[in-house]
């Protein structure tokens, strides 16, 4: 907690108790690469302040080097036939991690994602507070919702699980096929069910935009063909689609 407070002061130019109306003594949640505080702003609204864990650049570089050494030593023994080498997978993994610890980039991702869904009443994106964000600290509006982990918890909160499944599927397909820009880490901790939706379409909130990616128009068309081939049980054609996408070797 002391280290986090020091990072906030260094990054934002003032102590947390001066920047915010009320800053708690302990974080409310743990993110994979940071910790999250529920903070009261000067205007009395609540925000989520995510602070990056210390020394991440060094730790990630070290771990990637270790993985590369292991891959070079034992890669030939692994029976992989997935169209790419294990070294390429490690490189992609490292690139994604370095992108994820650049909170300025995450902020830009959040704004871009919000712009795509600005006319969709069923998808909510938290507002970025630019004045309280930097490379190692990011502040967004607070989300009061239920994580999409358990059907029973949704029902206990008088929320209809099927309505959120419908919104999840439609918004996911829109990202892949309409926008070509998608949330690459949509696990239950990054998706919240909010009150205010309808019986048919639940109000869904996305958070954490550190891992985003794009898909080209040609790949989008190939992916659509793969889904059609899957529905029609044309598995050989689907395998050929996966070859075009680079998922499988010939």
């Amino acid at each position: 907690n002391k280290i986090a407070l020091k990072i906030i002061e260094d990054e934002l130019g003032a102590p947390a108790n001066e920047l915010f109306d009320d800053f708690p003594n302990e974080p409310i949640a743990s993110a994979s690469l940071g910790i999250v505080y529920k903070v009261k702003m000067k205007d009395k609204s609540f925000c989520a302040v995510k602070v990056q864990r210390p020394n991440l650049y060094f730790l990630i570089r070290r771990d990637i080097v270790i993985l590369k050494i292991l891959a070079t030593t034992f890669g030939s023994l692994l029976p992989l036939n997935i169209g790419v080498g294990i070294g390429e997978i490690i490189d992609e993994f490292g690139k994604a991690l370095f992108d994820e610890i650049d909170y300025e980039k995450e902020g830009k991702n959040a704004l871009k994602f919000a712009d795509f869904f600005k006319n969709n009443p069923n998808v909510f994106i938290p507002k970025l507070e630019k004045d309280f964000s930097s490379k190692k600290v990011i502040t967004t509006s607070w989300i009061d919702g239920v994580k999409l982990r358990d059907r029973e918890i949704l029902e206990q909160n008088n929320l209809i699980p099927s309505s959120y499944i419908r919104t999840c599927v439609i918004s996911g397909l829109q990202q892949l096929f309409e926008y070509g820009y998608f949330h690459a880490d949509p696990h239950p901790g990054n998706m919240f069910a909010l009150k205010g939706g309808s019986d048919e379409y639940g109000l869904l909130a996305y958070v954490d935009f550190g891992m985003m990616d794009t898909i080209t128009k040609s790949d989008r068309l190939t992916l659509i063909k793969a889904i059609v081939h899957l529905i029609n049980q044309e598995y050989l054609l689907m395998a050929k689609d996966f070859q075009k996408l680079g998922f499988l070797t010939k």
Side-chain angles (χ1 to χ4, degrees):
N1 191 58
K2 285 182 180 178
I3 295 170
L5 290 172
K6 181 70 167 60
I7 290 171
I8 289 171
E9 185 172 351
D10 290 344
E11 290 289 308
L12 303 184
N17 59 3
E18 291 181 14
L19 293 166
F20 306 102
D21 187 59
D22 183 28
F23 195 92
N25 294 323
E26 294 293 335
I28 195 169
S30 171
S32 55
L33 301 173
I35 54 176
V36 180
Y37 294 88
K38 184 179 181 180
V39 171
K40 186 187 282 188
M41 307 294 282
K42 299 285 187 183
D43 63 2
K44 306 305 178 185
S45 65
F46 284 97
C47 280
V49 177
K50 183 166 70 172
V51 185
Q52 192 176 112
R53 297 182 187 277
N55 303 320
L56 282 186
Y57 279 97
F58 166 76
L59 293 169
I60 292 172
R61 278 199 304 266
R62 181 199 63 188
D63 290 352
I64 294 299
V65 168
I66 292 170
L67 286 171
K68 292 280 275 188
I69 292 169
L70 290 170
T72 303
T73 306
F74 300 108
S76 60
L77 304 176
L78 298 173
L80 293 178
N81 183 24
I82 54 176
V84 293
I86 192 167
E88 293 172 280
I89 295 172
I90 294 168
D91 288 340
E92 184 70 20
F93 176 63
K95 178 181 176 295
L97 281 177
F98 281 118
D99 283 346
E100 197 172 357
I101 61 176
D102 184 347
Y103 286 176
E104 287 179 345
K105 189 169 186 176
E106 180 176 343
K108 291 176 184 176
N109 291 342
L111 293 172
K112 184 176 179 179
F113 197 77
D115 189 56
F116 282 127
F117 285 101
K118 64 185 176 184
N119 296 320
N120 189 329
N122 304 312
V123 176
F124 180 82
I125 312 301
K127 180 189 173 190
L128 175 70
E129 299 289 346
K130 288 185 180 179
D131 292 339
F132 300 93
S133 300
S134 70
K135 217 166 184 66
K136 294 183 180 180
V137 177
I138 185 166
T139 302
T140 62
S141 55
W142 182 258
I143 298 288
D144 270 320
V146 179
K147 288 184 181 180
L148 296 183
R149 282 199 172 125
D150 193 303
R151 179 189 186 94
E152 290 181 3
I153 295 174
L154 289 174
E155 291 173 341
Q156 286 168 12
N157 285 273
N158 297 316
L159 302 172
I160 303 169
S162 61
S163 69
Y164 294 97
I165 293 171
R166 194 171 286 110
T167 300
C168 281
V169 170
I170 291 173
S171 64
L173 292 175
Q174 281 182 303
Q175 291 169 57
L176 281 175
F177 301 134
E178 191 175 342
Y179 309 137
Y181 183 74
F182 59 93
H183 196 300
D185 193 22
H187 62 76
N190 286 342
M191 303 168 81
F192 289 83
L194 306 181
K195 293 184 177 178
S198 66
D199 290 352
E200 190 174 6
Y201 296 102
L203 180 55
L204 175 72
Y206 284 90
V207 301
D208 195 343
F209 303 96
M211 290 180 68
M212 308 292 290
D213 213 338
T214 57
I215 181 170
T216 64
K217 187 174 181 180
S218 61
D219 280 351
R220 274 185 269 168
L221 292 172
T222 304
L223 199 55
I224 291 169
K225 287 179 185 177
I227 291 171
V228 172
H229 292 148
L230 173 64
I231 292 168
N232 293 333
Q233 298 184 12
E234 296 168 327
Y235 300 121
L236 180 61
L237 291 174
M238 188 175 75
K240 290 183 181 296
D241 293 330
F242 283 175
Q243 287 175 3
K244 284 183 184 177
L245 291 166
F247 297 164
L248 292 174
T249 60
K250 290 184 178 181

